Amino acid sequence: MAHSFPLPRTCPFAPPPEYEHMREQAPLVRTSLPGGDVWLVTRHAEARQVLAGTGISTSPATPGHPNAAFHTEPPSPERAQAMEAFMAGHFIDLDPPEHTRFRRLLIPEFTVRRVREMRPGIQEIVDGLIDDMLAKGPGAELVEAFGLAMPSLVICRLLGVPYAEREFFQSRTREMLAHGDDPDLRQTAALEIREFLDRLVTEAERAPADDLLGRVITSGRLTHDEVVGVMFLLLVAGHETTANMIPLAALTLLRHPVQLAALRANPEGWPAAVEELLRYHSIVDWAAFDRVAAADQEIGGQLVRKGEGIFVLGASANRDERAFERPDEFDVARGARHHVAFGYGVHQCLGQNLARAELEIALRTLFERMPTLRVTVADDELAAKYDGPIFGLTSLPVTW
């Protein structure tokens, strides 16, 4: 039986309701897209098999890649050429050994030790934003004032964006990541961001500093365009996911006051709570888990032939009863780090240690400094990105 795809969420606290039936049906199910059929991976074990598997390609250039199935016609040669130039350095869309060349260079920048060194700076940014909300309040729009602003300032510091340029950088980032607005405006903002990063890299090449950008440049292992592309990728991947998670996580904790009270009483529980929030929401779902079989193989008892596209449903895998007890329940003490919110295998999220630190610091500090924080609208009044490839809230009005 073929299923339509993508399936929209209907609740801020759950994946699409059809996922449960799909998991019961089979670990792999077929779905029809305008350009052809693809496989959907519904269960946890098979998700990890695909994400870590040999004989699996992530490159959109591989024939049969599922992203092409969203369209009935291939892109024009001009657009294909423009996209190829724009995507230079976007190593998440590359297979080894090209992917390995980038990842080995960047892994030292996101180790547990390096992120531990970043924590005081992240704490300073979080405290500054909360100071600003308290000074202007009571009352704030948490997505704009905190969710979007915090990771933007962290990435500015990480990439060495000059302080005077941060307002422009943040405004273009917000426009580029906006949902429901004019796609032409988002594309223009993306081009402006890349041009901005091109200038930033050019300046840094003249006198590289001892920071992430400077170290990538002085390694001599990437071209100028590849460095620009890497910085752009770190911006998008490191900003949008965290920006969406912070308000959604805050809402979830407020809707579970007993568990929130336990975290306030025992702050050592925050790392486990972050893991549960990542599993429970799985905001990326399928968008980063696009694959294509590079050879015939069996997955979950199903023969998948070379050239057949695959989407791993991360939000379904993270609610799989075979991997998680009572998966639809939110439990901050669960401690289930085997979730696939960050992917799995060689393409597992490079910045996962930084994302964990940002979420932990942001949420812990928010609830420590705003103990009376509350949402001012009912859940059914929340504006959410139900049809977006990355889930989140478009606004979260709060007071204290």
Side-chain angles (χ1 to χ4, degrees), residues 146-148 150-152 236-248 283 342 351 354-359 362 390:
F146 196 59
L148 286 170
M150 192 279 271
S152 177
V236 175
H239 182 279
E240 184 168 15
T241 48
T242 307
N244 280 308
M245 270 300 298
I246 290 171
L248 193 58
I283 61 171
F342 289 120
L354 177 58
R356 288 184 169 104
E358 288 184 83
L359 289 168
I390 297 180

Side-chain angles (χ1 to χ4, degrees), residues 249-285:
L251 171 67
T252 304
L253 291 165
L254 288 169
R255 294 295 185 257
H256 294 82
V258 174
Q259 298 193 55
L260 177 55
L263 288 170
R264 283 177 166 141
N266 178 27
E268 289 77 15
W270 277 108
V274 167
E275 297 303 327
E276 176 67 348
L277 287 160
L278 290 163
R279 180 202 72 84
Y280 187 70
H281 287 297
S282 302
I283 61 171
V284 174
D285 196 3

Side-chain angles (χ1 to χ4, degrees), residues 345-356:
V346 296
H347 286 280
Q348 193 170 34
C349 175
L350 184 70
Q352 60 182 292
N353 294 323
L354 177 58
R356 288 184 169 104

Side-chain angles (χ1 to χ4, degrees), residues 169-311:
F169 187 79
Q170 285 183 273
S171 69
R172 296 297 81 205
T173 300
R174 283 195 297 270
E175 184 71 53
M176 181 180 67
L177 300 178
H179 287 266
D181 295 327
D182 188 337
D184 291 335
L185 293 177
R186 295 201 301 273
Q187 183 178 23
T188 298
L191 291 171
E192 289 175 347
I193 282 286
R194 188 172 176 97
E195 290 170 2
F196 173 88
L197 292 171
D198 194 305
R199 295 194 300 272
L200 184 70
V201 170
T202 299
E203 287 294 322
E205 287 170 338
R206 297 191 182 105
D210 185 21
D211 56 18
L212 184 153
L213 177 56
R215 288 187 289 272
V216 169
I217 289 170
T218 55
S219 73
R221 290 154 67 180
L222 301 183
T223 67
H224 172 88
D225 286 345
E226 287 175 336
V227 174
V228 173
V230 165
M231 296 302 113
F232 186 91
L233 182 61
L234 293 178
L235 162 68
V236 175
H239 182 279
E240 184 168 15
T241 48
T242 307
N244 280 308
M245 270 300 298
I246 290 171
L248 193 58
L251 171 67
T252 304
L253 291 165
L254 288 169
R255 294 295 185 257
H256 294 82
V258 174
Q259 298 193 55
L260 177 55
L263 288 170
R264 283 177 166 141
N266 178 27
E268 289 77 15
W270 277 108
V274 167
E275 297 303 327
E276 176 67 348
L277 287 160
L278 290 163
R279 180 202 72 84
Y280 187 70
H281 287 297
S282 302
I283 61 171
V284 174
D285 196 3
W286 54 271
F289 303 148
D290 45 334
R291 301 292 190 267
V292 59
D296 290 357
Q297 58 197 283
E298 184 178 298
I299 303 170
Q302 172 66 53
L303 175 63
V304 178
R305 297 193 177 279
K306 179 180 179 180
E308 291 185 338
I310 306 166
F311 280 115

